[in-house]
Amino acid sequence: MATLARARSLIHERARRLEAASFWVMAREAFWIALEGLRTHKLRSFLTLLGVVIATTTLIVVMSIINGMNLYIADHIANLGANVFVLSQYNWATSDEEWIRERHRNKPILMDDYTYLRDVLSGYKNIGASAWVQPSPQVKYKNQIIYEVNVTGETPSIIEMEQEQVDYGRFFSESEYEHSASVCFIGTDLVEKFFPNVDPIDKVIFVGGQPFRVVGVAKHIGSTLGQSQDNFVQIPLTTLQKLFSARPRMNIHIQAQDVRQMAALEDQVRAVMRSRHHLPYKEPDDFGLNASATILGVWEQLTGSIFAGGIGIVAVFMVVGGIVIMNIMLASVTERTHEIGIRKSLGARRRDILMQFVIESAVMAATGGLIGILLAIGVAKLVDVFFTASVPVKAILIGIALSTSVGLFFGIYPARQAAKLNPIEALRTDG
Amino acid sequence: MSSRTLTAPLQQTMTPKDGVIIRTENLWKTYDMGAVQVHALCDVSFDIERGEYVAIMGPSGSGKSTLMNLIGCLDTPTQGKYWLNGRLVSELSDDELAYIRNKEIGFVFQTFNLLSRATALHNVELPLIYSGTPAAERLERAREALRKVELGDRMHHKPNELSGGQRQRVAIARALVNEPSIILADEPTGNLDSATGDEIMNLFDRLHQAGNTIVLVTHEHDIAARAHRIIHIRDGKVARDERVK
Ligand SMILES: Nc1ncnc2c1ncn2[C@@H]1O[C@H](COP(=O)(O)OP(=O)(O)O)[C@@H](O)[C@H]1O
Ligand SMILES: [Mg+2]
């Protein structure tokens, strides 16, 4: 019994191997026939594949833009720091109408607001303020000048809540803040330009004509949309008030102990600010509360709708492209009826013919997908110049898989027509 | 995946006398042309044994090709029974018929029926591809078959780079390559000049001497004269069945 079972399983194994071997031979043959067809009828092939090409290109470009935006958000807005939200004059992520309304009603956040909140809020881990010097002053060291440096005044606590981190030296101290000391913390762009070979610590640079002693350098951050994020000078907020602007507009950063206390803390800030601004019960806020979570939510909505639109376009073009391929395959089956007859007379089964035409159709569509991918990589590079786009590997895989599946799916009907041809009738047609 | 090796038809619906490869019993083929019915074959019965060399003769339109297509399992009779190697063909499934066409029958057509895009070698490989023969063995056997028909030096030529006689020899190599029980040839010299036709017929003679069973359709006497038996067909009926050698 055991020997018999073994013999039978050996036969099965051999049969399976044979089947697999002939599958690959037939697949390879169908593959070359498809490519040769594409090569010999270039214009027809181009028109045939146009739908699939457009669909794949759209898919990948949309995915690349969304991916680029996500990377941007992840790097720059989500990087506010853990459990930090920001009280500012405006909400950062709003609709256009909302933005116009806020422009008219919202009041600036000022130093008084900061000191008041610092004293009355309870249960926070950190609070800090940050104000811009505008317009950006030029910064000078010896006879070198950098224009358009991002100069901000900060409270000492800010270093614990933002993405900048100390690389060497230190951030300015509480006492330097108290005494409006002329000290500064700089980004790596300034180090590269001013201090390529020397230790920048304790050197004096001139910001808007005022001397500042460098006390620390930040870790390199990188750039976004062509904007360097390392081109900054941070000085004590009090010094900014003394030297540049008596009533600076600022953002107040508040850090909760943990994520569960974020909402309660936001409510506290909202209540305090509304009462300071004497807002009646039904009036909307006249200030912005921005948390990375809410910003991310808005982004997700935005990218979601871009994606939904993209999917619509992709689906339409894929279906159109699939139908065109189906028609071309039907024409090809008619043209090659005699060939099908020959193959059947030599022992091709229905499934052999079916597979041949399905593979041909899939190879054709996959070629369209491949062209679409190359095109999309070019388009994404272009978009990245003036906006942001980054082609994710996932998009390329999805592009190939989707176009191939469209070819498989729309190839089934023509392939079935070919497979069910009667051998003698197929042979009788002129070849 | 079930394999064709295992779906090989096994019905043993009758046990014909040892050595009988083909048995037809009251075969009819009727084409329904709407107003009229054309009886291409009427009540055809005969046996063909292993190793025979049979010519089917008759004027044009007498039903020779119709008969060959039935024997070759390319077509099905309207009525009657046909046994091939003891298997009742009308009971076979589509896949089993494909298996028979692949393994049991080598068909040679008047118009060659080669794939024009493929090389001679690939044309000869096709039956082996459909029988799932592994690559190395497949190539070796295809080359061997081409050498047998003296085309060892033309393997990589496409049909349009070959003469008519060479094309027919490729077709014969293709018919031989799976070592079928029977070789069927429907006017194999019909598209060739007489000198080339003689060469092809010499090849069939050699194949017969090597032990192959051959059934050949022709309307020419000197070609039929090479066979050992001539079945005369007229208006779809067997008019005469004679042994000539
Ligand atoms: N597909 C078909 N439809 C209708 N009539 C057919 C068909 N095939 C053959 N016939 C008819 O059957 C008869 C026999 O044809 P065929 O077998 O081709 O003859 P032969 O090969 O002896 O010249 C002829 O009258 C032909 O017109
Ligand atoms: Mg004929």
Side-chain angles (χ1 to χ4, degrees):
Chain A
M1 274 322 277
T3 16
L4 186 68
R6 222 187 76 213
R8 193 172 287 159
S9 87
L10 277 178
I11 291 171
H12 269 282
E13 171 60 21
R14 181 171 153 75
R16 212 177 44 70
R17 271 214 315 276
L18 288 182
E19 194 82 16
S22 63
F23 172 85
W24 285 112
V25 178
M26 285 186 254
R28 210 171 55 201
E29 192 187 0
F31 178 83
W32 287 115
I33 290 176
L35 284 193
E36 195 184 294
L38 290 173
R39 206 165 46 82
T40 46
H41 310 281
K42 285 197 185 67
L43 181 65
R44 187 178 89 173
S45 308
F46 172 74
L47 295 174
T48 308
L49 299 183
L50 202 56
V52 175
V53 170
I54 293 176
T56 314
T57 307
T58 310
L59 175 76
I60 294 177
V61 168
V62 166
M63 283 182 77
S64 304
I65 290 177
I66 290 174
N67 186 46
M69 284 162 73
N70 284 345
L71 288 179
Y72 172 78
I73 294 300
D75 274 8
H76 299 273
I77 298 177
N79 218 349
L80 269 177
N83 311 326
V84 174
F85 63 94
V86 177
L87 169 65
S88 59
Q89 185 170 4
Y90 306 111
N91 279 301
W92 291 346
T94 56
S95 61
D96 288 351
E97 311 95 80
E98 182 79 19
W99 164 244
I100 290 164
R101 189 149 52 84
E102 286 191 12
R103 291 277 296 184
H104 287 122
R105 348 179 9 251
N106 285 18
K107 298 194 176 119
I109 309 296
L110 299 171
M111 199 62 177
D112 295 345
D113 296 312
Y114 169 63
T115 46
Y116 187 76
L117 281 170
R118 189 188 59 195
D119 295 342
V120 302
L121 286 183
S122 61
Y124 60 83
K125 187 174 169 197
N126 265 312
I127 186 164
S130 170
W132 270 269
V133 177
Q134 269 173 331
S136 311
Q138 65 182 44
V139 178
K140 206 175 146 193
Y141 176 70
K142 290 191 173 155
N143 52 3
Q144 301 215 67
I145 297 175
I146 307 180
Y147 301 94
E148 299 268 310
V149 176
N150 191 3
V151 179
T152 55
E154 322 254 354
T155 57
S157 51
I158 280 288
I159 189 69
E160 291 165 44
M161 289 184 270
E162 273 193 339
Q163 61 176 342
E164 292 85 12
Q165 290 183 321
V166 179
D167 189 12
Y168 51 95
R170 57 178 176 82
F171 203 60
F172 44 80
S173 66
E174 283 292 344
S175 111
E176 283 162 337
Y177 177 78
E178 294 295 326
H179 295 99
S180 315
S182 287
V183 290
C184 66
F185 178 73
I186 60 176
T188 52
D189 280 6
L190 283 86
V191 177
E192 273 169 33
K193 176 94 185 209
F194 293 156
F195 312 108
N197 302 311
V198 275
D199 182 4
I201 305 296
D202 286 338
K203 298 286 185 302
V204 174
I205 62 175
F206 286 84
V207 177
Q210 304 286 339
F212 283 85
R213 183 167 58 87
V214 177
V215 295
V217 174
K219 279 191 180 136
H220 179 73
I221 301 168
S223 64
T224 305
L225 302 174
Q227 303 280 309
S228 171
Q229 303 299 301
D230 296 300
N231 182 28
F232 64 82
V233 174
Q234 297 184 348
I235 60 175
L237 183 52
T238 48
T239 317
L240 180 148
Q241 279 182 295
K242 187 177 82 180
L243 297 176
F244 297 106
S245 152
R247 271 171 61 83
R249 297 172 173 214
M250 59 189 68
N251 290 335
I252 298 174
H253 296 228
I254 300 146
Q255 185 171 37
Q257 296 288 355
D258 60 54
V259 68
R260 281 164 299 162
Q261 283 159 27
M262 287 269 285
L265 205 52
E266 273 184 53
D267 287 346
Q268 238 190 101
V269 172
R270 178 172 286 116
V272 171
M273 289 309 293
R274 288 180 70 91
S275 83
R276 274 174 74 75
H277 290 175
H278 308 292
L279 279 178
Y281 170 66
K282 284 198 170 157
E283 284 281 301
D285 291 348
D286 59 357
F287 50 86
L289 278 177
N290 301 286
S292 43
T294 59
I295 296 164
L296 278 181
V298 172
W299 271 116
E300 268 163 20
Q301 258 182 353
L302 180 66
T303 54
S305 50
I306 293 176
F307 195 70
I311 289 291
I313 296 173
V314 170
V316 167
F317 276 109
M318 277 294 179
V319 170
V320 170
I323 290 173
V324 172
I325 287 178
M326 185 169 80
N327 273 294
I328 290 290
M329 288 307 294
L330 280 172
S332 168
V333 169
T334 309
E335 268 170 33
R336 286 156 60 192
T337 300
H338 188 71
E339 173 195 325
I340 296 162
I342 294 176
R343 289 177 183 275
K344 288 207 147 188
S345 79
L346 299 176
R349 294 163 300 179
R350 277 173 190 237
R351 78 182 90 146
D352 297 327
I353 301 292
L354 186 87
M355 198 176 68
Q356 177 186 342
F357 281 89
V358 166
I359 290 173
E360 267 188 58
S361 169
V363 167
M364 228 157 63
T367 307
L370 219 60
I371 295 171
I373 287 169
L374 295 180
L375 217 61
I377 290 174
V379 172
K381 279 226 165 82
L382 212 68
V383 170
D384 201 34
V385 171
F386 56 87
F387 189 54
T388 177
S390 159
V391 181
V393 177
K394 191 173 68 181
I396 293 178
L397 297 180
I398 291 178
I400 280 285
L402 194 65
S403 54
T404 310
S405 321
V406 164
L408 282 175
F409 181 76
F410 285 94
I412 288 174
Y413 177 69
R416 285 178 67 112
Q417 300 300 104
K420 73 180 189 198
L421 285 173
N422 173 292
I424 192 67
E425 278 164 23
L427 269 176
R428 270 197 202 107
T429 58
D430 294 325
Chain B
M1 238 189 276
S2 80
S3 160
R4 58 191 336 147
T5 325
L6 295 174
T7 55
L10 296 169
Q11 296 100 313
Q12 208 73 31
T13 45
M14 68 160 266
T15 337
K17 190 174 77 187
D18 243 12
V20 172
I21 292 190
I22 285 170
R23 164 165 295 178
T24 68
E25 215 175 86
N26 315 108
L27 277 193
W28 287 77
K29 182 73 185 181
T30 308
Y31 292 105
D32 199 347
M33 306 303 287
V36 286
Q37 289 199 325
V38 179
H39 297 294
L41 290 179
C42 321
D43 206 27
V44 172
S45 304
F46 56 77
D47 281 6
I48 292 175
E49 285 177 32
R50 192 174 304 285
E52 276 197 282
Y53 190 177
V54 181
I56 295 175
M57 256 199 93
S60 180
S62 55
K64 307 182 298 291
S65 293
T66 306
L67 179 58
M68 283 297 257
N69 294 337
L70 291 183
I71 296 175
C73 296
L74 293 172
D75 209 353
T76 47
T78 316
Q79 241 189 67
K81 286 179 175 167
Y82 166 37
W83 286 270
L84 180 70
N85 269 336
R87 293 168 208 146
L88 187 57
V89 169
S90 56
E91 287 179 349
L92 300 183
S93 71
D94 232 52
D95 277 4
E96 286 167 334
L97 285 173
Y99 174 87
I100 296 228
R101 290 194 286 268
N102 183 254
K103 290 271 176 134
E104 305 276 351
I105 290 163
F107 217 120
V108 179
F109 301 91
Q110 179 176 350
T111 52
F112 322 132
N113 282 342
L114 298 175
L115 294 190
S116 54
R117 273 192 295 253
T119 61
L121 186 63
H122 188 71
N123 268 292
V124 176
E125 272 186 293
L126 275 177
L128 297 171
I129 289 176
Y130 291 124
S131 63
T133 310
E137 184 189 340
R138 189 177 70 232
L139 269 173
E140 193 33 58
R141 279 169 64 181
R143 289 204 186 101
E144 182 55 35
L146 278 166
R147 274 186 227 114
K148 258 189 212 161
V149 298
E150 285 154 23
L151 281 178
D153 53 345
R154 293 284 189 281
M155 294 192 189
H156 300 288
H157 291 235
K158 293 191 174 170
N160 62 4
E161 300 158 352
L162 297 170
S163 71
Q166 287 172 328
R167 287 183 213 181
Q168 195 58 299
R169 279 190 274 153
V170 174
I172 292 170
R174 184 180 65 183
L176 287 176
V177 76
N178 242 343
E179 290 162 3
S181 317
I182 185 162
I183 294 170
L184 304 177
D186 189 351
E187 308 211 32
T189 61
N191 277 18
L192 304 173
D193 60 68
S194 60
T196 316
D198 277 347
E199 277 175 36
I200 294 296
M201 287 316 300
N202 291 340
L203 183 52
F204 277 110
D205 291 352
R206 282 214 307 279
L207 290 175
H208 175 247
Q209 276 151 28
N212 289 287
T213 310
I214 295 173
V215 180
L216 183 87
V217 161
T218 184
H219 57 260
E220 291 175 50
H221 283 286
D222 46 346
I223 287 180
R226 290 171 179 256
H228 297 187
R229 174 182 168 194
I230 303 177
I231 299 175
H232 295 268
I233 301 261
R234 203 163 286 269
D235 297 330
K237 297 186 186 80
V238 177
R240 193 148 46 97
D241 189 342
E242 57 175 347
R243 297 199 178 265
V244 289
K245 278 177 197 162

